Amino acid sequence: MAEETAADYTLSNPDTLTKYKTAAQISHRVLETVTGWCVEGEKILSICERGDKLLDEEVAKVYKGKKILKGISHPTTVSPSSFITPFTPLSTDTEDSSMVLKSHEAIKIQLGAQIDGFGTIVCDTIIVPSEKKDDEKPSGREADLLCAAYYANELLLRLMLPPGLLTSGSDEVKKKAAAEKPITQSKITHLLEKVVKSYDCNLVEGTTSWLFERNEIEGKKKIVLAPSDGSKGEGVPEVGDVWGVEIGVSLGTGKIKTLENRPTLHRRTTITYGLKRPSSRQTLSEIVKKFGTFPFSLRQLDDERAAKVGVVECVRSNVLRQYEVVADKDAAPVARLLTTIAISKNGVIRLSAPPALDTSKYHTEKKVTDEEILRILEQPMASAKSKNKKKKKKQAKKAVEEEEEEEESSDED
């Protein structure tokens, strides 16, 4: 009897990248819609609930009839001005559920979809428009914050490129470039600090980018920016990797504190434990069936009140990881961006990414002047070879067709 071939879940398998891209398209569409809902006076809870409903609807439209698991890779979360971590209140928590968006505050919107365990997550920061919806350009510290986050993110994405990947020239030049040591994580933090300090901002301590794998958004590799408490990153980006690349920027010191708000975001770990309480076992069973190992909000479970009780033992026994609600220590506004990327032999592919910032709409007198950083920002993230080849083929085809038409017309003459 022939041995079964192990499934290939790497980027070498075209189906893998297709599933990532499909999930990313859903994430983009929903993010755009949710962003439109974020106006002054709107309840955060309502936005999160509607966002998850839309994610479910969009996911249901793809891979119909296929026996693959699909769903939400990250619930819709909306984090107020100084909140850093994803925030998603419960309807049964009176104070949190009544929170509304305030005019001109910086909010972070995060969500994601997954197809067959291949998840993409995206986070964007916007300034809440006022009810008047005036056409005033964000200026002053608002503009400083968003510009700092945007350029820091663009720099970080370029620093994810493995050494020599896009180097042109002779084989010897390419080989020499590829042999260079990858940039260290301390150097990455140093360069990013230069960017944000150009706008009188600071990096949020401990901001972490993770390697993504099938059914896993916190893989074996990670990059920790402005590390604290002895935390450090592991591994380096390589061709074939998928990463969730995150940047956090604060108008304050960037130091963090844990808030007293109820943690509502959880995720199943790989730890197994014999839960004693029937309510705990019932809650865990529902979690495994609905979300697998992806993050979820307690409000997504059938009985929110029962879930609040059922997760207690699960968290205590480390069967579930609980995400604390963390904010800026100075209560200063924070911007956060998260991009899911794939690293191919042709460079970095943005799978799900926040919209590019139209810097012409943000008035700030500050700018990046460091020559090393400006040089990196000018570098491409991917090779244009594949596009050029397609273009050349089209041009060649067109030339052949025109030549044939000329011959036909001359024959008729």
Side-chain angles (χ1 to χ4, degrees):
M1 186 174 178
E3 293 183 8
E4 290 186 13
T5 306
D8 181 6
Y9 295 124
T10 69
L11 291 182
S12 300
N13 182 351
D15 286 344
T16 297
L17 189 56
T18 298
K19 288 169 183 175
Y20 270 123
K21 287 183 175 180
T22 303
Q25 289 166 359
I26 293 171
S27 300
H28 280 148
R29 285 197 298 271
V30 177
L31 176 64
E32 183 179 7
T33 302
V34 171
T35 299
W37 295 338
C38 294
V39 294
E40 181 183 2
E42 190 68 33
K43 280 191 174 184
I44 291 177
L45 172 62
S46 173
I47 296 170
C48 293
E49 290 175 336
R50 292 160 65 193
D52 285 351
K53 184 174 183 292
L54 185 56
L55 278 169
D56 283 331
E57 290 172 354
E58 291 295 316
V59 168
K61 295 176 184 177
V62 300
Y63 286 88
K64 290 182 178 179
K66 301 285 180 70
K67 290 185 178 181
I68 61 172
L69 294 175
K70 55 184 180 176
I72 296 175
S73 63
H74 194 286
T76 306
T77 60
V78 178
S79 307
S81 181
S82 64
F83 285 44
I84 296 169
T85 49
F87 180 67
T88 172
L90 304 181
S91 61
T92 52
D93 288 342
T94 307
E95 189 173 341
D96 284 356
S97 65
S98 63
M99 292 176 71
V100 297
L101 299 183
K102 299 173 184 176
S103 174
H104 295 290
E105 74 170 327
I107 62 166
K108 284 69 65 181
I109 308 165
Q110 184 163 318
L111 53 84
Q114 62 91 4
I115 304 295
D116 196 22
F118 300 107
T120 63
I121 301 174
V122 63
C123 177
D124 190 22
T125 297
I126 66 166
I127 303 298
V128 177
S130 65
E131 284 185 332
K132 297 177 183 177
K133 293 187 178 179
D134 48 47
D135 294 326
E136 281 186 26
K137 293 182 179 180
S139 59
R141 298 302 278 155
E142 288 178 2
D144 292 343
L145 178 65
L146 265 62
C147 287
Y150 170 71
Y151 286 113
N153 186 54
E154 289 298 306
L155 180 66
L156 179 55
L157 290 173
R158 283 161 176 76
L159 296 177
M160 297 296 292
L161 280 167
L165 187 62
L166 300 183
T167 300
S168 57
S170 65
D171 291 342
E172 188 178 343
V173 170
K174 292 178 181 178
K175 187 177 180 181
K176 185 177 179 181
E180 291 180 6
K181 289 184 178 181
I183 186 170
T184 63
Q185 298 203 13
S186 59
K187 176 68 172 177
I188 291 175
T189 293
H190 175 68
L191 291 173
L192 292 171
E193 281 178 340
K194 281 188 176 183
V195 174
V196 299
K197 286 183 184 298
S198 299
Y199 295 90
D200 288 338
C201 296
N202 284 290
L203 291 175
V204 173
E205 65 177 1
T207 301
T208 306
S209 299
W210 289 94
L211 176 71
F212 282 9
E213 297 172 325
R214 186 170 183 258
N215 295 316
E216 180 58 76
I217 61 164
E218 294 181 2
K220 298 173 183 177
K221 296 192 244 182
K222 62 180 178 179
I223 296 171
V224 182
L225 304 178
S228 62
D229 302 327
S231 60
K232 62 178 182 178
E234 298 174 30
V236 295
E238 298 175 289
V239 171
D241 284 356
V242 174
W243 284 77
V245 180
E246 184 169 344
I247 192 80
V249 179
S250 169
L251 285 181
T253 61
K255 302 297 181 182
I256 64 174
K257 67 176 180 181
T258 301
L259 300 180
E260 294 181 358
N261 302 68
R262 180 194 297 276
T264 64
L265 196 65
H266 296 75
R267 179 172 173 263
R268 186 165 66 92
T269 68
T270 56
I271 294 173
T272 56
Y273 179 83
L275 299 171
K276 298 174 182 178
R277 296 173 63 92
S279 60
S280 304
R281 294 195 295 271
Q282 184 177 343
T283 299
L284 182 61
S285 175
E286 184 183 353
I287 290 167
V288 172
K289 184 178 179 181
K290 285 186 174 180
F291 313 110
T293 54
F294 287 103
F296 63 92
S297 168
L298 295 182
R299 61 177 171 73
Q300 293 175 282
L301 298 175
D302 292 340
D303 188 332
E304 191 177 289
R305 292 186 185 278
K308 287 160 74 172
V309 176
V311 296
V312 174
E313 185 185 4
C314 295
V315 171
R316 192 167 54 234
S317 58
N318 295 320
V319 173
L320 293 181
R321 176 183 171 184
Q322 175 175 282
Y323 292 86
E324 301 293 338
V325 182
V326 174
D328 185 271
K329 194 174 183 178
D330 309 313
V334 170
R336 198 163 53 79
L337 302 174
L338 195 158
T339 308
T340 303
I341 65 166
I343 305 176
S344 74
K345 62 181 181 180
N346 293 320
V348 169
I349 303 168
R350 300 190 205 218
L351 294 172
S352 60
L357 189 72
D358 184 352
T359 53
S360 66
K361 293 182 178 179
Y362 295 84
H363 179 66
T364 174
E365 296 178 355
K366 301 178 179 67
K367 62 180 181 179
V368 178
T369 57
D370 185 277
E371 291 185 4
E372 181 184 10
I373 290 169
L374 291 173
R375 189 167 61 251
I376 297 172
L377 287 172
E378 288 176 357
Q379 294 173 2
M381 288 174 53
S383 169
K385 286 182 180 178
S386 57
K387 290 183 179 179
N388 289 339
K389 282 181 180 178
K390 288 180 181 178
K391 192 174 181 181
K392 286 179 181 177
K393 282 182 180 179
K394 284 183 179 179
Q395 290 175 341
K397 185 179 179 182
K398 187 177 180 182
V400 170
E401 289 174 351
E402 288 176 352
E403 190 175 323
E404 288 176 349
E405 286 177 5
E406 288 179 5
E407 289 177 356
E408 286 175 5
S409 59
S410 61
D411 290 343
E412 290 174 3
D413 292 342

